[in-house]
Amino acid sequence: MAGSMPKRVKWRKSQKGTLKGNATRGNKVSYGEFGLQALQPGRVNARHIEAGRVAASHFLQREGRVYIRVFPHRPITAKPLEVRMGTGKGEVSYWTSLVKPGTVLFEVGGVSEDLAKACLARIAMKMPVRCRFLRRGHEL
Amino acid sequence: MQVANVKGEKRSAGGRHANERLRRRGMLPAVIYGHGEAPQSVAVSRHDFEIALHALQHVIALEVDGAKQQYLVKDVQYDHLHKDPIHIDLMRVDANERVRVSVALELKGTPAGAALGGQITQLLTDLHIECLLIAIPETLRVDIAHLGLNQSVHVRELSLPEGVKALHSPEELICICRLPKAAVETVATATGEGAAAEPEVIGRVAKDKGDEAAQ
């Protein structure tokens, strides 16, 4: 299994659940100066996050700082190929994070806006959801 | 202090659907409260309000049924993308009343440490201040041209306008100029051969041991 996953879990497998509504938390740029915000609901799995992280670190060349704001907490199970239905739930195949519209996925700090824009655009290409560039700004 | 003129109207219908209809008409639901009087529901022009918001104006002159009065923008509620305002809180205030507001901090100049490869990290973007309503600054400028490498600006070093009091701790850091660190990800990733194939299940080991003991 590529990418990160929880160290300890209470239950090995989880039910599918639904993904409704918008993000009410984690929808602001909190650590860096610029962020990448999801505009669609979706599952961002550990491989997507890892691909985004690698793309950012290659592009920034050890400059600035990258913050990952999502973590794959949800196990997704799958049955092996050519197996008949039944005989219980499949084994955990990969780990994913459930992303609602508005969730900030990545943040970048310590770099110029142009560089951050280019970096986050590269990360956005690796994401399974549509994203937009976000700037930390003053709110009244 | 500049005051933005915003057109508004009285609002009687409340609730989600009525407010959605209001937003489709280019208006924003708002509430006026303060000074011990009963709260009043109004609708304000979104276009006018966004101009005031863009200009970082804390006080607006709201015109409702021909009567114009000044209000402090106490809170703005945004949509889930933090893009569009969806509701506004307005507070009744007197011109000579001391109010608590949040003002944007603007860094000015290129730090001297930048020539040595230093980068500015801004930790505080807004400053909570207390001042007279008529003396609310639009932004507070922080001169960082003198900052050398590994030097910082604290709240105590700010030169605030007269009558303006910062509500932060004087020791709080505003910005620092330092050499960029190697890119560090905040979330450590468990990749490679050393990574566990499956996470530990809480309570499972204890249960298994219990089963063995029973047998």
Side-chain angles (χ1 to χ4, degrees):
Chain A
M1 266 181 275
S4 53
M5 61 180 164
K7 282 180 187 160
R8 297 172 81 215
V9 289
K10 196 162 185 183
W11 308 106
R12 258 186 329 132
K13 298 171 187 176
S14 82
Q15 293 190 343
K16 190 170 267 180
T18 53
L19 191 49
K20 287 180 181 174
N22 300 316
T24 53
R25 307 189 317 173
N27 55 0
K28 287 181 190 172
V29 179
S30 303
Y31 300 97
E33 289 147 47
F34 311 99
L36 188 72
Q37 189 180 43
L39 298 174
Q40 288 177 313
R43 285 176 177 173
V44 176
N45 70 37
R47 288 172 66 176
H48 294 132
I49 299 169
E50 179 64 9
R53 187 192 67 81
V54 170
S57 55
H58 279 190
F59 185 76
L60 291 178
Q61 298 283 317
R62 302 170 68 83
E63 205 182 316
R65 191 162 177 179
V66 179
Y67 300 87
I68 303 170
R69 293 286 307 274
V70 285
F71 187 84
H73 287 287
R74 176 68 72 95
I76 305 295
T77 59
K79 279 177 174 286
L81 291 175
E82 298 180 6
V83 168
R84 289 179 187 274
M85 287 296 110
T87 69
K89 196 169 168 74
E91 288 306 310
V92 175
S93 174
Y94 59 95
W95 292 81
T96 187
S97 65
L98 302 182
V99 167
K100 291 182 177 184
T103 308
V104 174
L105 306 172
F106 283 83
E107 286 181 23
V108 175
V111 291
S112 68
E113 184 168 343
D114 290 342
L115 199 64
K117 239 179 203 175
C119 172
L120 291 170
R122 282 182 181 236
I123 300 176
M125 283 181 214
K126 311 286 181 194
M127 293 296 120
V129 288
R130 272 195 303 123
C131 301
R132 75 166 184 141
F133 177 78
L134 199 63
R135 196 179 292 109
R136 182 160 70 161
H138 170 73
E139 280 176 13
L140 280 185
Chain B
M1 182 192 68
Q2 287 186 330
V3 178
N5 291 314
V6 178
K7 282 184 181 160
E9 59 189 48
K10 279 185 181 167
R11 175 167 68 98
S12 54
R16 186 159 55 98
H17 296 295
N19 285 338
E20 273 305 318
R21 279 195 294 273
L22 209 62
R23 289 185 195 110
R24 276 201 292 273
R25 277 204 299 128
M27 304 295 278
L28 287 171
V31 61
I32 301 170
Y33 51 78
H35 281 188
E37 291 176 34
Q40 188 189 351
S41 297
V42 291
V44 300
S45 161
R46 179 180 163 164
H47 176 258
D48 292 352
F49 184 73
E50 279 187 339
I51 291 171
L53 205 62
H54 191 68
L56 301 174
Q57 287 170 355
H58 288 84
V59 182
I60 61 166
L62 184 66
E63 190 184 333
V64 180
D65 296 342
K68 200 183 256 189
Q69 203 176 338
Q70 288 190 2
Y71 298 102
L72 176 75
V73 180
K74 189 72 181 165
D75 190 32
V76 182
Q77 199 181 334
Y78 290 88
D79 66 349
H80 63 286
L81 297 177
H82 268 264
K83 202 174 169 187
D84 301 319
I86 53 174
H87 186 271
I88 312 153
D89 280 18
L90 300 171
M91 202 165 105
R92 295 183 188 100
V93 277
D94 290 331
N96 293 318
E97 198 175 315
R98 282 187 82 79
V99 290
R100 289 182 171 198
V101 289
S102 168
V103 177
L105 279 172
E106 215 177 289
L107 304 184
K108 282 280 159 196
T110 310
L116 303 166
Q119 273 181 352
I120 281 287
T121 306
Q122 191 176 356
L123 301 160
L124 203 64
T125 50
D126 304 329
L127 195 76
H128 298 290
I129 57 166
E130 189 184 293
C131 62
L132 287 177
L133 183 77
I134 51 169
I136 300 174
E138 280 176 22
T139 54
L140 290 169
R141 291 185 174 182
V142 185
D143 184 26
I144 55 164
H146 65 280
L147 273 191
L149 211 55
N150 295 326
Q151 287 184 337
S152 52
V153 180
H154 295 84
V155 172
R156 64 169 187 269
E157 294 160 37
L158 284 178
S159 54
L160 297 172
E162 206 179 313
V164 176
K165 184 184 153 194
L167 300 171
H168 291 261
S169 158
E171 298 305 316
E172 205 161 327
L173 201 63
I174 293 172
C175 63
I176 184 165
C177 178
R178 59 184 171 190
L179 285 171
K181 283 183 185 172
V184 180
E185 289 81 27
T186 49
V187 179
T189 52
T191 51
E193 290 172 11
E198 266 187 38
E200 179 195 335
V201 180
I202 300 167
R204 195 180 172 193
V205 180
K207 196 184 168 189
D208 291 348
K209 278 181 184 172
D211 291 345
E212 283 168 18
Q215 286 168 4

